[in-house]
Amino acid sequence: QSHYSYKKAAMLCGIGSDNLVAVPCDETGAMIPSELEAAVGEALASGALPFFVGATAGTTVTGAFDPFHEIADVCERHGLYMHVDGAWGAAVLLSGRGDRRALMDGAERADSLTWNAHKLMGMPLQCSAFLTATPGALEACNGTRASYLFQPDKLHAEYDLGDKTIQCGRRADAYKLWMTWKALGDAGFAARVDHCCDLAEHFERRVRGSGGAFVMAKPRTFANVCFWYVPPSLRPWDPAAAGEEARRRMASVAPAIKAKMQRRGLAMIGFQPLDGMPNFFRIVFPSCLNTTKADLDRLLDAIEEIGSNQ
Amino acid sequence: QSHYSYKKAAMLCGIGSDNLVAVPCDETGAMIPSELEAAVGEALASGALPFFVGATAGTTVTGAFDPFHEIADVCERHGLYMHVDGAWGAAVLLSGRGDRRALMDGAERADSLTWNAHKLMGMPLQCSAFLTATPGALEACNGTRASYLFQPDKLHAEYDLGDKTIQCGRRADAYKLWMTWKALGDAGFAARVDHCCDLAEHFERRVRGSGGAFVMAKPRTFANVCFWYVPPSLRPWDPAAAGEEARRRMASVAPAIKAKMQRRGLAMIGFQPLDGMPNFFRIVFPSCLNTTKADLDRLLDAIEEIGSNQ
């Protein structure tokens, strides 16, 4: 359930996507540590050299958090580098609620962590952080010491961070994050995070209390809600029991409703198939500062109105 | 004389910087085609498989343009992919002067071209284009078809370009370029390019007419001027004839002047050593819309004033 950027990175780095091993996940979308242990053992037995484990804090589809302590134990046992992709979910560390912050337990044992402040913190696109536990790693990996850019004998050479990055020329996104943090404070960021999570909780409650018009497609962990709208003719909807024809019909429901909502200018919500289940809606709440629970109620009403008239 | 991004790309892609061959350049900084031919022959003889040639339109330091037709001939002879890094210089294609546009002759034979509109066209940082002559190449190289992002059954799926890129989530920089181009027209962009080149020409004239206070360090091709300020005690300055002590003293001149200009808030001009020559100043003119020739005269006067009082 990791982000496809792991696949892209393997392709780009010359490792090759064939050498990327997908570890099975539980129903929420979180990596199963015993499966990781087994995959490492299998790789070693085949003569391969596993060296990197990519864990995820807030998977893209379901918003699941991997069990970081158990993954770190596996990594320590085998001397593997542990990275946590917290692009979407690491922001829970800023939450005011302990149960939300606890989703990140053990992530502090990782060798590196990514965090996209442009997702849950309301920053502009591309404002992202890569944190490494190894001082000097960025310079060692990326530094090429081009003499025409990074003169060691110039004034304030120590503030020139260009050679520590892949791209060199970049926008000063860190400044925007710093300014916003200064302006809002920890409490302001906590309010943003918790507002988004609260919206997801409210949405889930409405789905579960809909009497079968809406059905959860995946358990909810974070600010993602995966759900079906079930047309009256397909109720009660149980994906495990649904036959081929019902599944085929269900697969077309979300695309049709989305297209109609899009044409009416109402909303754009993603949908997708997963784990053999037909297309379901996936709504996420990133930086939804001005979205209210009443907005979500209206959205569910609109989906139901469009869906029941299909 | 290519940009160090070639080195970074070789490191990042798993090719390894050891497998990147630097081809010798002429005095202006342009690749020597016969040396490229020799390097390809040498690689083949050693059992290596050369497949990519990185040419440059506007080198970083001197602003040199490679002889693209002759390089394309070598590439065709050996079946090599030809890329032109026009990040800095491809904008001359928009110039109103034929002799400037001619610097790009033969670049049209390349398999791909990069162009940074944020350099000479006054666009915001990161507004860059990668043009390929092979339809579908970007999708074939970068596409991973993540089902949760790129649903083929969604409305207007054909407008979703995310899977053709390395990064997916990006700013809409192309829109800014398109808007500016609409607003300024070809003539407006030509005026920007030619203003920058004219400034460089004026600067060179002032250096050459300074009676020895300033000396060109490299021939000028484009909007880059590489020059020394020569303190009275080091005149007449001839780098080929200068002894060790004079070279050592000259190496400290540009850093000292730059630091003083920086502290006074006057200007920030890069300096660097190259090809065994001690530190020289390198001034470039990217998007200098409001810079006038009088500004350059004042800058040269300031350098001379600071330098002669060292």
Side-chain angles (χ1 to χ4, degrees):
Chain A
Q1 295 306 312
S2 67
H3 192 259
Y4 78 113
S5 50
Y6 280 119
K7 190 174 173 189
K8 281 209 163 167
M11 289 157 62
L12 192 70
C13 291
I15 292 170
S17 49
D18 289 352
N19 290 313
L20 192 71
V21 177
V23 177
C25 294
D26 66 18
E27 199 209 2
T28 70
M31 194 191 290
I32 302 170
S34 60
E35 295 280 359
L36 172 62
E37 180 76 51
V40 171
E42 206 173 305
L44 288 170
S46 77
L49 184 65
F51 65 94
F52 175 95
V53 173
T56 305
T59 61
T60 307
V61 178
T62 66
F65 285 67
D66 289 342
F68 301 117
H69 272 303
E70 290 164 86
I71 291 173
D73 290 344
V74 176
C75 290
E76 279 179 14
R77 248 189 321 274
H78 297 281
L80 307 174
Y81 184 102
M82 176 178 170
H83 174 70
V84 172
D85 170 5
W88 170 224
V92 292
L93 285 171
L94 297 160
S95 165
R97 266 175 52 177
D99 60 330
R100 287 174 180 159
R101 290 195 301 274
L103 291 168
M104 289 293 283
D105 280 355
E108 70 279 6
R109 294 171 62 189
D111 294 290
S112 54
L113 171 85
T114 43
W115 174 45
N116 287 0
H118 69 247
K119 292 193 192 288
L120 213 74
M121 316 316 303
M123 293 294 99
L125 195 65
Q126 295 183 193
C127 178
S128 303
F130 176 80
L131 306 176
T132 165
T134 312
L138 291 174
E139 206 162 357
C141 289
N142 297 313
T144 52
R145 283 157 290 278
S147 65
Y148 52 87
L149 282 176
F150 311 110
Q151 302 88 2
D153 41 357
K154 75 182 172 191
L155 191 66
H156 302 316
E158 69 276 20
Y159 295 132
D160 194 339
L161 307 178
D163 208 26
K164 293 185 179 179
T165 68
I166 291 174
Q167 294 164 294
C168 187
R170 299 160 70 214
R171 290 168 180 275
D173 286 319
Y175 181 70
K176 299 165 193 168
L177 177 59
W178 180 79
M179 283 287 281
T180 310
W181 211 327
K182 279 277 183 196
L184 300 176
D186 289 353
F189 268 166
R192 288 190 173 194
V193 171
D194 287 318
H195 178 64
C196 294
C197 293
D198 290 347
L199 288 174
E201 280 184 12
H202 175 77
F203 202 95
E204 179 186 10
R205 265 196 306 275
R206 281 292 316 266
V207 167
R208 294 196 185 276
S210 68
F214 296 95
V215 169
M216 291 292 282
K218 281 282 184 182
R220 187 190 61 78
T221 309
F222 182 45
N224 307 38
V225 186
C226 299
F227 68 101
W228 284 286
Y229 167 72
V230 188
S233 63
L234 287 173
R235 295 178 204 171
W237 173 250
D238 174 4
E244 194 49 46
E245 166 65 10
R247 297 167 68 83
R248 202 190 49 72
R249 282 173 55 207
M250 182 55 107
S252 69
V253 170
I257 294 176
K258 176 175 175 173
K260 194 157 278 187
M261 287 197 296
Q262 207 169 332
R263 284 203 189 88
R264 286 200 201 163
L266 286 175
M268 285 182 74
I269 308 177
F271 61 82
Q272 64 164 110
L274 187 74
D275 296 345
M277 300 189 303
N279 276 327
F280 53 81
F281 282 116
R282 165 183 163 262
I283 191 167
V284 291
F285 298 97
S287 320
C288 297
L289 307 182
N290 301 314
T291 304
T292 66
K293 291 176 184 173
D295 294 330
L296 302 186
D297 294 342
R298 276 192 293 273
L299 176 65
L300 284 159
D301 290 347
I303 292 175
E304 190 159 16
E305 185 259 315
I306 292 170
S308 62
N309 292 313
Q310 282 292 86
Chain B
Q1 294 306 315
S2 67
H3 192 257
Y4 78 113
S5 51
Y6 280 118
K7 189 173 173 190
K8 282 209 163 168
M11 288 158 62
L12 193 68
C13 291
I15 293 170
S17 49
D18 290 350
N19 290 313
L20 191 72
V21 177
V23 177
C25 294
D26 66 18
E27 199 210 1
T28 70
M31 194 191 290
I32 302 170
S34 60
E35 295 281 358
L36 172 62
E37 180 77 51
V40 171
E42 205 172 308
L44 289 169
S46 77
L49 184 65
F51 65 96
F52 175 95
V53 173
T56 305
T59 60
T60 307
V61 178
T62 67
F65 285 68
D66 289 342
F68 301 118
H69 272 302
E70 291 165 85
I71 291 174
D73 290 344
V74 176
C75 290
E76 279 178 13
R77 244 185 331 269
H78 297 283
L80 306 174
Y81 184 102
M82 176 177 168
H83 174 69
V84 173
D85 171 6
W88 170 226
V92 291
L93 285 171
L94 296 160
S95 165
R97 265 176 52 177
D99 60 330
R100 286 173 181 161
R101 290 194 302 274
L103 290 168
M104 288 294 282
D105 281 353
E108 70 279 5
R109 293 170 62 189
D111 294 289
S112 54
L113 172 85
T114 43
W115 174 46
N116 288 0
H118 70 247
K119 291 192 192 289
L120 213 75
M121 316 315 303
M123 294 293 99
L125 195 63
Q126 295 183 194
C127 179
S128 302
F130 175 80
L131 306 176
T132 164
T134 312
L138 291 175
E139 207 163 356
C141 289
N142 296 313
T144 53
R145 283 158 290 280
S147 65
Y148 51 87
L149 282 176
F150 310 110
Q151 303 88 3
D153 42 356
K154 75 182 172 190
L155 190 68
H156 303 316
E158 70 276 19
Y159 295 132
D160 194 338
L161 307 177
D163 209 24
K164 292 185 180 176
T165 67
I166 292 175
Q167 294 164 295
C168 187
R170 299 161 70 215
R171 290 168 179 274
D173 286 319
Y175 181 70
K176 299 165 192 167
L177 177 60
W178 180 80
M179 284 287 282
T180 309
W181 211 326
K182 278 279 182 196
L184 298 176
D186 289 352
F189 268 165
R192 287 189 174 197
V193 171
D194 286 318
H195 178 64
C196 293
C197 293
D198 290 347
L199 288 174
E201 280 184 11
H202 175 77
F203 202 94
E204 180 186 9
R205 265 196 306 275
R206 282 291 317 263
V207 167
R208 292 196 186 278
S210 68
F214 296 96
V215 170
M216 292 292 281
K218 281 282 184 182
R220 187 190 61 79
T221 308
F222 182 45
N224 307 38
V225 187
C226 299
F227 68 100
W228 284 287
Y229 168 72
V230 187
S233 63
L234 287 172
R235 294 179 204 169
W237 173 250
D238 175 4
E244 194 50 45
E245 167 64 11
R247 298 167 69 83
R248 202 189 49 72
R249 281 172 55 206
M250 181 56 106
S252 69
V253 171
I257 294 176
K258 176 176 175 171
K260 194 157 279 186
M261 287 197 295
Q262 207 170 330
R263 286 203 189 90
R264 285 200 202 164
L266 286 176
M268 284 183 73
I269 308 177
F271 61 82
Q272 62 164 113
L274 187 74
D275 296 343
M277 301 189 302
N279 276 326
F280 53 82
F281 282 117
R282 166 184 163 259
I283 190 166
V284 291
F285 297 97
S287 321
C288 297
L289 307 182
N290 301 314
T291 305
T292 65
K293 292 177 183 172
D295 293 331
L296 303 187
D297 294 343
R298 275 191 293 274
L299 175 66
L300 284 159
D301 290 347
I303 292 175
E304 190 159 14
E305 185 259 315
I306 292 170
S308 62
N309 292 313
Q310 283 291 87

mmCIF file of all heavy atoms in Angstrom, chain A residues 236-260:
data_model
loop_
_atom_site.group_PDB
_atom_site.id
_atom_site.type_symbol
_atom_site.label_atom_id
_atom_site.label_comp_id
_atom_site.label_asym_id
_atom_site.label_seq_id
_atom_site.Cartn_x
_atom_site.Cartn_y
_atom_site.Cartn_z
ATOM 1 N N PRO A 236 -28.753 -5.011 0.346
ATOM 2 C CA PRO A 236 -27.588 -4.584 1.140
ATOM 3 C C PRO A 236 -26.289 -4.978 0.444
ATOM 4 O O PRO A 236 -26.210 -6.068 -0.127
ATOM 5 C CB PRO A 236 -27.766 -5.368 2.439
ATOM 6 C CG PRO A 236 -28.500 -6.609 2.031
ATOM 7 C CD PRO A 236 -29.398 -6.225 0.887
ATOM 8 N N TRP A 237 -25.286 -4.057 0.487
ATOM 9 C CA TRP A 237 -24.022 -4.286 -0.214
ATOM 10 C C TRP A 237 -23.011 -4.963 0.696
ATOM 11 O O TRP A 237 -22.639 -4.426 1.741
ATOM 12 C CB TRP A 237 -23.453 -2.969 -0.734
ATOM 13 C CG TRP A 237 -22.079 -3.101 -1.324
ATOM 14 C CD1 TRP A 237 -20.916 -2.618 -0.806
ATOM 15 C CD2 TRP A 237 -21.711 -3.744 -2.545
ATOM 16 N NE1 TRP A 237 -19.859 -2.909 -1.618
ATOM 17 C CE2 TRP A 237 -20.317 -3.619 -2.706
ATOM 18 C CE3 TRP A 237 -22.453 -4.430 -3.540
ATOM 19 C CZ2 TRP A 237 -19.627 -4.132 -3.798
ATOM 20 C CZ3 TRP A 237 -21.763 -4.948 -4.624
ATOM 21 C CH2 TRP A 237 -20.366 -4.800 -4.744
ATOM 22 N N ASP A 238 -22.608 -6.162 0.292
ATOM 23 C CA ASP A 238 -21.547 -6.884 1.010
ATOM 24 C C ASP A 238 -20.558 -7.355 -0.046
ATOM 25 O O ASP A 238 -20.836 -8.311 -0.768
ATOM 26 C CB ASP A 238 -22.140 -8.066 1.774
ATOM 27 C CG ASP A 238 -21.044 -8.923 2.416
ATOM 28 O OD1 ASP A 238 -19.847 -8.546 2.311
ATOM 29 O OD2 ASP A 238 -21.391 -9.964 3.011
ATOM 30 N N PRO A 239 -19.409 -6.692 -0.158
ATOM 31 C CA PRO A 239 -18.487 -6.998 -1.273
ATOM 32 C C PRO A 239 -18.044 -8.459 -1.273
ATOM 33 O O PRO A 239 -17.802 -9.024 -2.342
ATOM 34 C CB PRO A 239 -17.311 -6.049 -1.039
ATOM 35 C CG PRO A 239 -17.417 -5.617 0.386
ATOM 36 C CD PRO A 239 -18.862 -5.665 0.734
ATOM 37 N N ALA A 240 -17.945 -9.051 -0.072
ATOM 38 C CA ALA A 240 -17.476 -10.439 -0.001
ATOM 39 C C ALA A 240 -18.506 -11.391 -0.605
ATOM 40 O O ALA A 240 -18.151 -12.426 -1.170
ATOM 41 C CB ALA A 240 -17.182 -10.820 1.443
ATOM 42 N N ALA A 241 -19.785 -11.014 -0.505
ATOM 43 C CA ALA A 241 -20.845 -11.899 -0.972
ATOM 44 C C ALA A 241 -21.335 -11.556 -2.376
ATOM 45 O O ALA A 241 -22.039 -12.346 -3.008
ATOM 46 C CB ALA A 241 -22.024 -11.848 0.008
ATOM 47 N N ALA A 242 -20.947 -10.368 -2.868
ATOM 48 C CA ALA A 242 -21.497 -9.899 -4.147
ATOM 49 C C ALA A 242 -21.025 -10.766 -5.309
ATOM 50 O O ALA A 242 -19.863 -11.150 -5.382
ATOM 51 C CB ALA A 242 -21.085 -8.443 -4.374
ATOM 52 N N GLY A 243 -21.925 -11.074 -6.215
ATOM 53 C CA GLY A 243 -21.585 -11.864 -7.400
ATOM 54 C C GLY A 243 -20.958 -11.008 -8.490
ATOM 55 O O GLY A 243 -20.826 -9.786 -8.350
ATOM 56 N N GLU A 244 -20.575 -11.653 -9.559
ATOM 57 C CA GLU A 244 -19.850 -10.996 -10.645
ATOM 58 C C GLU A 244 -20.649 -9.834 -11.240
ATOM 59 O O GLU A 244 -20.124 -8.745 -11.461
ATOM 60 C CB GLU A 244 -19.524 -12.048 -11.726
ATOM 61 C CG GLU A 244 -18.487 -11.603 -12.739
ATOM 62 C CD GLU A 244 -17.255 -11.020 -12.067
ATOM 63 O OE1 GLU A 244 -16.749 -11.629 -11.090
ATOM 64 O OE2 GLU A 244 -16.825 -9.935 -12.486
ATOM 65 N N GLU A 245 -21.933 -10.082 -11.464
ATOM 66 C CA GLU A 245 -22.784 -9.069 -12.094
ATOM 67 C C GLU A 245 -22.951 -7.843 -11.184
ATOM 68 O O GLU A 245 -22.838 -6.696 -11.638
ATOM 69 C CB GLU A 245 -24.157 -9.701 -12.409
ATOM 70 C CG GLU A 245 -25.272 -8.736 -12.762
ATOM 71 C CD GLU A 245 -25.012 -7.977 -14.063
ATOM 72 O OE1 GLU A 245 -24.050 -8.339 -14.783
ATOM 73 O OE2 GLU A 245 -25.744 -7.006 -14.341
ATOM 74 N N ALA A 246 -23.149 -8.090 -9.890
ATOM 75 C CA ALA A 246 -23.298 -6.978 -8.940
ATOM 76 C C ALA A 246 -21.998 -6.182 -8.854
ATOM 77 O O ALA A 246 -22.003 -4.947 -8.802
ATOM 78 C CB ALA A 246 -23.692 -7.517 -7.564
ATOM 79 N N ARG A 247 -20.888 -6.865 -8.865
ATOM 80 C CA ARG A 247 -19.581 -6.191 -8.793
ATOM 81 C C ARG A 247 -19.351 -5.342 -10.042
ATOM 82 O O ARG A 247 -18.817 -4.233 -9.974
ATOM 83 C CB ARG A 247 -18.453 -7.216 -8.640
ATOM 84 C CG ARG A 247 -18.552 -8.017 -7.330
ATOM 85 C CD ARG A 247 -17.628 -9.232 -7.352
ATOM 86 N NE ARG A 247 -16.229 -8.836 -7.324
ATOM 87 C CZ ARG A 247 -15.567 -8.535 -6.209
ATOM 88 N NH1 ARG A 247 -16.179 -8.593 -5.036
ATOM 89 N NH2 ARG A 247 -14.311 -8.198 -6.256
ATOM 90 N N ARG A 248 -19.738 -5.899 -11.189
ATOM 91 C CA ARG A 248 -19.585 -5.179 -12.442
ATOM 92 C C ARG A 248 -20.419 -3.899 -12.405
ATOM 93 O O ARG A 248 -19.972 -2.832 -12.799
ATOM 94 C CB ARG A 248 -20.010 -6.074 -13.607
ATOM 95 C CG ARG A 248 -19.446 -5.691 -14.974
ATOM 96 C CD ARG A 248 -20.120 -6.482 -16.084
ATOM 97 N NE ARG A 248 -21.580 -6.462 -15.989
ATOM 98 C CZ ARG A 248 -22.360 -5.405 -16.255
ATOM 99 N NH1 ARG A 248 -21.808 -4.267 -16.644
ATOM 100 N NH2 ARG A 248 -23.671 -5.498 -16.130
ATOM 101 N N ARG A 249 -21.655 -4.023 -11.889
ATOM 102 C CA ARG A 249 -22.525 -2.842 -11.817
ATOM 103 C C ARG A 249 -21.966 -1.833 -10.817
ATOM 104 O O ARG A 249 -21.950 -0.630 -11.077
ATOM 105 C CB ARG A 249 -23.943 -3.255 -11.440
ATOM 106 C CG ARG A 249 -24.727 -3.843 -12.631
ATOM 107 C CD ARG A 249 -26.073 -4.412 -12.192
ATOM 108 N NE ARG A 249 -26.884 -3.436 -11.468
ATOM 109 C CZ ARG A 249 -27.816 -3.758 -10.552
ATOM 110 N NH1 ARG A 249 -28.026 -5.018 -10.243
ATOM 111 N NH2 ARG A 249 -28.504 -2.812 -9.957
ATOM 112 N N MET A 250 -21.500 -2.336 -9.666
ATOM 113 C CA MET A 250 -20.955 -1.422 -8.655
ATOM 114 C C MET A 250 -19.735 -0.651 -9.181
ATOM 115 O O MET A 250 -19.544 0.518 -8.863
ATOM 116 C CB MET A 250 -20.572 -2.207 -7.391
ATOM 117 C CG MET A 250 -20.038 -1.328 -6.265
ATOM 118 S SD MET A 250 -21.191 0.016 -5.805
ATOM 119 C CE MET A 250 -21.775 -0.596 -4.231
ATOM 120 N N ALA A 251 -18.943 -1.306 -10.018
ATOM 121 C CA ALA A 251 -17.722 -0.662 -10.541
ATOM 122 C C ALA A 251 -18.038 0.604 -11.327
ATOM 123 O O ALA A 251 -17.210 1.520 -11.402
ATOM 124 C CB ALA A 251 -16.944 -1.648 -11.420
ATOM 125 N N SER A 252 -19.247 0.672 -11.903
ATOM 126 C CA SER A 252 -19.579 1.838 -12.735
ATOM 127 C C SER A 252 -20.268 2.953 -11.952
ATOM 128 O O SER A 252 -20.462 4.054 -12.468
ATOM 129 C CB SER A 252 -20.484 1.394 -13.891
ATOM 130 O OG SER A 252 -21.750 1.016 -13.382
ATOM 131 N N VAL A 253 -20.634 2.672 -10.701
ATOM 132 C CA VAL A 253 -21.415 3.657 -9.925
ATOM 133 C C VAL A 253 -20.586 4.911 -9.613
ATOM 134 O O VAL A 253 -20.987 6.044 -9.916
ATOM 135 C CB VAL A 253 -21.948 3.014 -8.623
ATOM 136 C CG1 VAL A 253 -22.542 4.086 -7.710
ATOM 137 C CG2 VAL A 253 -22.981 1.938 -8.945
ATOM 138 N N ALA A 254 -19.410 4.722 -9.009
ATOM 139 C CA ALA A 254 -18.597 5.884 -8.598
ATOM 140 C C ALA A 254 -18.174 6.742 -9.794
ATOM 141 O O ALA A 254 -18.317 7.972 -9.746
ATOM 142 C CB ALA A 254 -17.386 5.418 -7.790
ATOM 143 N N PRO A 255 -17.668 6.137 -10.898
ATOM 144 C CA PRO A 255 -17.314 6.980 -12.054
ATOM 145 C C PRO A 255 -18.504 7.786 -12.572
ATOM 146 O O PRO A 255 -18.352 8.967 -12.902
ATOM 147 C CB PRO A 255 -16.837 5.964 -13.101
ATOM 148 C CG PRO A 255 -16.379 4.782 -12.315
ATOM 149 C CD PRO A 255 -17.281 4.727 -11.112
ATOM 150 N N ALA A 256 -19.679 7.177 -12.622
ATOM 151 C CA ALA A 256 -20.849 7.887 -13.144
ATOM 152 C C ALA A 256 -21.248 9.042 -12.226
ATOM 153 O O ALA A 256 -21.537 10.154 -12.687
ATOM 154 C CB ALA A 256 -22.018 6.910 -13.301
ATOM 155 N N ILE A 257 -21.239 8.794 -10.921
ATOM 156 C CA ILE A 257 -21.607 9.861 -9.969
ATOM 157 C C ILE A 257 -20.555 10.970 -9.994
ATOM 158 O O ILE A 257 -20.870 12.159 -10.016
ATOM 159 C CB ILE A 257 -21.766 9.295 -8.533
ATOM 160 C CG1 ILE A 257 -22.958 8.332 -8.480
ATOM 161 C CG2 ILE A 257 -21.941 10.423 -7.526
ATOM 162 C CD1 ILE A 257 -23.140 7.645 -7.129
ATOM 163 N N LYS A 258 -19.293 10.581 -10.037
ATOM 164 C CA LYS A 258 -18.233 11.593 -10.060
ATOM 165 C C LYS A 258 -18.367 12.485 -11.284
ATOM 166 O O LYS A 258 -18.260 13.709 -11.187
ATOM 167 C CB LYS A 258 -16.850 10.930 -10.053
ATOM 168 C CG LYS A 258 -15.748 11.990 -10.171
ATOM 169 C CD LYS A 258 -14.340 11.491 -10.057
ATOM 170 C CE LYS A 258 -13.404 12.677 -10.328
ATOM 171 N NZ LYS A 258 -12.016 12.406 -10.092
ATOM 172 N N ALA A 259 -18.573 11.859 -12.455
ATOM 173 C CA ALA A 259 -18.680 12.643 -13.689
ATOM 174 C C ALA A 259 -19.837 13.630 -13.594
ATOM 175 O O ALA A 259 -19.716 14.796 -13.994
ATOM 176 C CB ALA A 259 -18.866 11.710 -14.887
ATOM 177 N N LYS A 260 -20.961 13.192 -13.022
ATOM 178 C CA LYS A 260 -22.125 14.084 -12.903
ATOM 179 C C LYS A 260 -21.842 15.215 -11.910
ATOM 180 O O LYS A 260 -22.168 16.373 -12.150
ATOM 181 C CB LYS A 260 -23.363 13.274 -12.486
ATOM 182 C CG LYS A 260 -24.661 14.051 -12.671
ATOM 183 C CD LYS A 260 -25.863 13.142 -12.802
ATOM 184 C CE LYS A 260 -26.040 12.589 -14.208
ATOM 185 N NZ LYS A 260 -27.293 11.839 -14.412
#
